[in-house]
Amino acid sequence: MRIRLLPLLTRPRRHEQVLVASAPSTPVLTGNGDVDLECWRCGFAICAGLHQVVDASNRIFRCPGCDALNRSRL
């Protein structure tokens, strides 16, 4: 299942951590499930192979593909 993340419309607050990939052009989180979370701008799979959407709830991600800030829906 592919789910599109939402854009982060404001700067992250000081207490909010932005998750980034450990290497260029690789997902921020990976697993062996069937849920992929995609960048709202370019469609890059920021989180690939999650088991549940809850695994990435209330998080902010920087897209390794286009550098856009994404937020999860939950």
Side-chain angles (χ1 to χ4, degrees):
M1 174 181 3
R2 303 176 112 185
I3 299 172
R4 189 71 64 143
L5 292 170
L6 298 173
L8 184 67
L9 300 177
T10 61
R11 287 182 170 178
R13 296 182 182 116
R14 290 183 186 192
H15 69 277
E16 295 176 317
Q17 181 180 4
V18 177
L19 301 173
V20 297
S22 59
S25 300
T26 61
V28 176
L29 298 174
T30 58
N32 59 0
D34 62 349
V35 177
D36 293 343
L37 301 180
E38 299 178 338
C39 175
W40 67 271
R41 182 187 289 164
C42 72
F44 184 88
I46 293 175
C47 300
L50 299 180
H51 288 282
Q52 302 174 12
V53 177
V54 177
D55 294 340
S57 65
N58 295 319
R59 305 269 191 248
I60 299 172
F61 302 96
R62 182 171 304 278
C63 178
C66 70
D67 212 34
L69 289 176
N70 293 262
R71 65 181 176 91
S72 57
R73 296 171 194 254
L74 301 173

